Structures are given as structure tokens and as C-alpha cells.
Amino acid sequence: MSEYTPSQNIPDRQPPATSVGIIGWVCKNLLCPWYNAVLTIVSCWAIWSAVAPFWEWAVTNASISLDPEVAKQHTGAAWGFIRDMWPVFMTGVYPAEERWRPLIALCIVVVLVSLSLVASYRRSRWLKILWFVSPIVVFALVYGGGITGLPVVGTHYWGGLMLTIMLSIVAMLAAFPISVLLALGRTSDMPIAKPFCVAYIELIRGVPLITLLFMASVVLPLFLPAGMELDKVLRALVGITMFFSAYLAENIRGGLQGISKGQYEAADALGMSYWKKTIVVILPQALRIVIPPMVNNFIGILKDTSLVGIVGLVDLLQIAFATTSNPKWFGRLEEAYVFIAFWYWILCYALSSYSQYLERKMPSASK
Amino acid sequence: MTTAHINTATHLGDSPVVIDIQGLNKWYGQFHVLKEINLQIRQQEKVVICGPSGSGKSTLIRTINRLEEHQEGRIVVDDEPLTNDVKQIERVRREVGMVFQQFNLFPHMTILDNVISGPIHVRNMPRKQAVDLAHSYLKRVGIAEQANKYPGQLSGGQQQRVAIARALAMQPKIMLFDEPTSALDPEMIKEVLDVMRELAEQGMTMICVTHEMGFAREVADTMVFMDKGQIVEYAPVKEFFTAPKEERSRMFLEQILNH
């Protein structure tokens, strides 16, 4: 006979010590069962053997002296090269006595970004106006001339990290609205707009960015009326923007297709016009879905601006080449590459973090 | 039976016709979904459309606000004939509220923003006025406290009541309900039907596609039974439930009432 007594009022107990806390975590993730312990040891060894030589080069054996002769006595990195040349990395051949101008422009942008991150300021109209005016102010500061009374520094003097950032930001801002229109066109059933959008996207996507950059800088001037000359930076921008708007459009189209038919019908049933429906109901949801691939694209833009070296612009990557052929620090390629890689990484990681923040902040499009 | 019907709901005999459907035919590709539909609906009339699935009930009410195009026939809603004229369609939709089976709330907006979206973006109402209006409708459907939540945080029944409030906030003359309780758990059906009942009492013109026969018996003036794209029976509610004329409606009623 079974002796089952229905028990009542069992008090809560702590879970067993091996399943919680640090001990529980280490045991579960690192040591148990035995093959996890082996994997842990192998992984630690692999990480160590990769990091140790780099550590020796970058820290233990490195020198930070500004004197190249001192640096040569060390087997490791010569960070003095970066100390010596970093203004050139930042602004390229921008005249040294005018470097304060891009610096102030940078400060303006940093202040604006910081203000925007304060939640209570974000909705204020002043901040929006400031954002709207800031590109003009930044351009006026960096380019000079006109009412600013500053000496003109033409775009052929722009370079380094400054040029990389400017190219990427302007290309992102320009490519985004174009790509939204392309995606809407491609998902519509308008008789002329749709084939045009499909053709544009398929054509541009099927061509390497380098080709487009060449086209923009070599072929485009042939079509312009005689005597009219497009700025070199502007031409590169046109190429990058054209290229990325096609890619971005396909991502956004993916988002548009993720919106259920019911959403369109609900907006229709309220009597919303096409644009109201698109702007109020469809796009906010579609763009929320495509934040990860869109940021992926933005990161792509940022890094692919390094191709503008091909058409004679001196961006961050080209600066690395240029500074290492300087006789004083000749051949310090590793330091230069590590330094610019660090900057690309900082920028890309910032973009990525911001996108993750956006994803958390915006209510999910799914139910 | 496909000729024009005499309106048999006597207390509505003098009300103006607000929806007039004449000789409506619709095809999906080769498939003939709606066949020779004639239907007049008077102001304040409550019409319940029932019938087996695939009989064209939903398609019929979706042609009334042009969510579905029709190929033949004439539909006049509130004196506006439905053609391909986009502005005209938008005018009709402003006067015709719709509630869907799947609620179709905008998931990226709060409940309040859902309800004010119509008045603000379609009627160009000032925000403050729209918010007041929205609160009064949310109160009416019993979810005033949830105004700042998102649709995903509400139960199905609550979402459907918000959807009703959103449609009502446009202050429509006609309300269409497309199986409003079919996607709900049984215990939530009542709360939605109660809201609809109250709406009916206040004199709204309503067309409901539903399988809730208890609700139909209580609220409807007129029953429309559809099968295979045709209106098989059109009768005052009492007559339909006590003495259905057609064999097919009788069989349908037997199945649905004795399950």
C-alpha cells in the first residue's frame, strides 16, 4: 500500500549551493562536465598566445619618446610617432594654424550629442533647431570664407579622421531618405516609379563601390556643362550616397514586408491618406525592425569611405600611408594601422551601442 | 431572393438608407466571391451577417469601406458612390468605422495614441481636443486606466475594446464589425459584446459579421444569411430565428445552435 500523505505548507528553501552564485556559475559554465574544463583550458591558452605577443609589442617593449632615435632602440611599438603626428591623423593637410576650427566644430557636435542623450532635453524644440543649424555652422567653420571672415580652406585640404567622419555622416544622412523613397517605390505598384526603383537598386547594387567612385569622379564631370566643376569631395559623396542608398533601400524593404496587412488595413479604414499611413503607421514599425541591418549598413558606409583614397582624397587610411612615408618616422606602419583601426573601431562601436540603445528604447514592433 | 429587399424592420421604415448596394459582383481572379448582392441598410439599423466560412461575409462588409474593390455593381455609402476616386474613398472611410478580427492596433503607439491617431491625422483635430475625446471613448469601453500602456500589454478583449474606441473616435456614422470576437478567449467575448450592445442601444448603425447568435438575437434588427457568395436569406431577426424560410439557413442554424 502506498503511504502518500498529502503535505501542506512546505516552507520555501534556498536552491542548492552548486546551482547559484559564483561557484554555481563557474561549475556550470567552465568546468562541468569534464570536456567543458578541457575546452576552458584550451581557450585560455589560445587567447593567451594571441594576446601575449601583442602585449609585449604594444606595452612591454614599447617607447613613447618623441625622438625616433630613442624609439629605434626599443623592439616594440614607437608610440612617439602617434604622439608626434596625431594632429595630422585627425585633420590631414588642413593648415596647422587653422586646426582650431575643426576642433570647435567637433566640440559643437559632441555637445549636441551629449545634450540629446539627456532625456528631458530630447523633446525640446531648441535642440531640434540647433541640430538643424549645426551642419551649416560646421561647414562654415571648417570651410570658412563668406560671412565668417575666416580664410577659406578648400576641401582638397580636408583629410584624416575629420574627412572620414564628415563623409560618413553626410552619406548616411543623404542615403537614408533616398533609400526610404526607393523602398517605398519598390513595394508600391506605381507603373513608372516601381520599375525605376527596381532598376536603380539592381543596377547600383551590381556594381562595386570603387567603380561608382571612379564614375563619379571621372565620368560625372564629362556630363557637366563646360566650365562647371564639381568639388572632389562632393563627387565622392555622390558616389557613396548612390551606392549605399541602394543597399539601405533593400533593408528597409525587408522591414516594410514585415508589417502585417492588418496594419495597412487599419490605417486605411481610419481614412488615412497614403502618406499619413506611411509616415504615422508603417515606417515607424518598419524602421524599428530594420535597426540592426541598417546600423550594419551605416558601419559599412563608415569603413568603406576608406575607398575614397582611390579618387585622391586623403582620408584616415590614406593619412596612415602618408605619415609612414615621412622620413622621420619612416616605415612605422604597424603603429599607424593599430591607431587608425582603433579609431574605426571606436566609431563603429559607438554606432552599434547607439543602435542597441534605440532597440531597447523603442517599443517592439511585434505584439 | 436576390432582388431588392423590402426593409422589414418596421421601426426603421422611415429612416434614410445609408448604405445602398445594388447588383454587386466581385471576383478574386477567376473565383466569383460575391454574386448579385443587393442590400439596403437604414440609419440606426443593426444588421448581423452570418453564414458558413468562405461564404463571402467578410468580403461583403470589406467592400463597404473599399478595403476590397468590386468589379460590378454600385455601392453608395452615406450618399457617396464608391469608385476609384481616392479622395471619395477617404471621405467614405472617415464616416465608416471598422473593427477587425485581429484588432490591428498600432503596436508602436500607446493606447491613447492609437485612439487619437484618427482624429489627429485624418480629421486634423487639435491634439488637446483629440486627447479629451479619446479619454471619453476609452472610458466608455472601460479601459480609461490603461491609456498609457502599449497594445502588447493588454489582453485580447481589452485590445478589441481599444480598437472599438479607436474607430469611434472618428465619430463615424456607420460601424462595421468583422468577426470581432472570433480571435478572443471565451471569457473575453462577453466584455466586447457588452460594449457593442451598448453602442447598439445608443443608436449606431452597425453591420456585424459574427457567429454569436445570442448577441444577434438580442441586438440585430435584420439577419442576413450568406452562402457561396450569395445572400440566401434576408429577414427580420425574429423571423429568422423562429421560422427561417430557406433550407440552408435552417441547417446552418441547427448546426450552430446545437453544438
Side-chain angles (χ1 to χ4, degrees), chain A residues 260-274 276 280-282 284-285 363-367, chain B residues 62 65 67 90 93-94 96 98 100 103-109 117-118 121-122 150 152 159 166-167 170:
Chain A
S260 74
K261 210 170 134 236
Q263 292 291 309
Y264 290 88
E265 287 180 351
D268 282 338
L270 286 172
M272 288 190 188
S273 64
Y274 173 80
K276 280 278 184 220
V280 175
V281 177
I282 306 303
Q285 298 185 57
S364 167
S366 65
K367 230 172 65 144
Chain B
R62 287 158 59 88
N65 64 352
L67 287 185
E90 281 168 16
R93 285 174 177 168
R94 261 176 260 162
V96 180
M98 186 163 202
F100 299 87
F103 332 133
N104 294 349
L105 292 178
F106 305 134
H108 61 299
M109 297 182 189
S117 62
H121 296 294
V122 182
Y150 284 89
Q159 288 192 52
R166 179 177 68 179
M170 283 293 288

Side-chain angles (χ1 to χ4, degrees), chain A residues 40-56 60:
Chain A
T40 304
I41 294 164
V42 170
S43 313
C44 286
W45 173 80
I47 293 169
W48 176 247
S49 53
V51 168
F54 180 79
W55 182 261
E56 264 169 38
T60 322

Side-chain angles (χ1 to χ4, degrees), chain A residues 138-156:
Chain A
V138 167
F139 181 81
L141 250 175
V142 177
Y143 189 80
I147 53 158
T148 57
L150 296 165
V152 172
V153 181
T155 53
H156 47 283

Side-chain angles (χ1 to χ4, degrees), chain A residues 139 143 154-158 163 166-167 170-171 174 209 212-218 220-221 224 228-243 308 311-313:
Chain A
F139 181 81
Y143 189 80
T155 53
H156 47 283
Y157 287 111
W158 297 11
L163 183 66
M166 281 180 154
L167 282 175
V170 178
L209 177 57
L212 266 181
L213 283 174
F214 269 127
M215 297 258 287
S217 61
V218 181
L220 192 65
L224 293 174
M228 187 181 160
E229 208 178 316
L230 262 185
D231 187 88
K232 207 158 72 169
V233 172
L234 193 62
R235 274 181 277 167
L237 260 180
V238 170
I240 298 173
T241 305
M242 279 172 72
F243 186 74
V308 296
V311 294
L313 298 185

Side-chain angles (χ1 to χ4, degrees), chain B residues 7-163:
Chain B
N7 198 300
T8 33
T10 45
H11 68 282
L12 292 165
D14 302 332
S15 306
V17 172
V18 283
I19 299 174
D20 188 7
I21 301 175
Q22 304 272 356
L24 170 67
N25 278 283
K26 178 176 170 57
W27 288 264
Y28 283 134
Q30 291 293 309
F31 179 56
H32 200 165
V33 255
L34 293 177
K35 297 175 183 166
E36 290 301 324
I37 304 285
N38 292 298
L39 188 64
Q40 277 87 44
I41 294 166
R42 289 175 186 276
Q43 201 164 28
Q44 302 215 334
E45 188 172 355
K46 282 91 190 142
V47 179
V48 167
I49 304 177
C50 62
S53 62
S55 59
K57 318 175 290 280
S58 290
T59 312
L60 174 60
I61 75 162
R62 287 158 59 88
T63 56
I64 295 174
N65 64 352
R66 195 69 170 187
L67 287 185
E68 301 283 353
E69 264 178 53
H70 60 280
Q71 286 89 355
E72 264 181 36
R74 191 176 143 78
I75 303 177
V76 181
V77 180
D78 192 31
D79 295 328
E80 296 266 11
L82 279 172
T83 58
N84 280 325
D85 180 350
V86 177
K87 288 286 153 206
Q88 206 163 32
I89 294 171
E90 281 168 16
R91 271 202 297 280
V92 167
R93 285 174 177 168
R94 261 176 260 162
E95 305 307 327
V96 180
M98 186 163 202
V99 175
F100 299 87
Q101 183 179 353
Q102 300 294 342
F103 332 133
N104 294 349
L105 292 178
F106 305 134
H108 61 299
M109 297 182 189
T110 62
I111 298 307
L112 182 68
D113 286 336
N114 263 281
V115 180
I116 63 175
S117 62
I120 284 189
H121 296 294
V122 182
R123 294 232 189 262
N124 296 318
M125 192 182 279
R127 190 184 159 89
K128 209 181 160 318
Q129 195 186 339
V131 168
D132 291 343
L133 184 76
H135 277 302
S136 77
Y137 281 113
L138 283 175
K139 209 167 153 193
R140 219 164 113 181
V141 300
I143 12 192
E145 336 67 67
Q146 321 269 21
N148 292 318
K149 288 192 180 167
Y150 284 89
Q153 296 167 291
L154 266 53
S155 73
Q158 290 173 321
Q159 288 192 52
Q160 192 61 298
R161 285 185 282 151
V162 174

Side-chain angles (χ1 to χ4, degrees), chain A residues 78-116:
Chain A
W79 296 122
F81 159 54
I82 302 297
R83 271 178 72 199
D84 192 15
M85 300 299 263
W86 76 268
V88 180
F89 276 97
M90 296 299 113
T91 55
V93 289
Y94 203 89
E97 64 277 16
E98 303 290 341
R99 272 183 197 138
W100 59 273
R101 282 154 54 178
L103 188 67
I104 289 183
L106 179 71
C107 292
I108 291 176
V109 174
V110 168
V111 167
L112 270 179
V113 169
S114 328
L115 282 180
S116 306

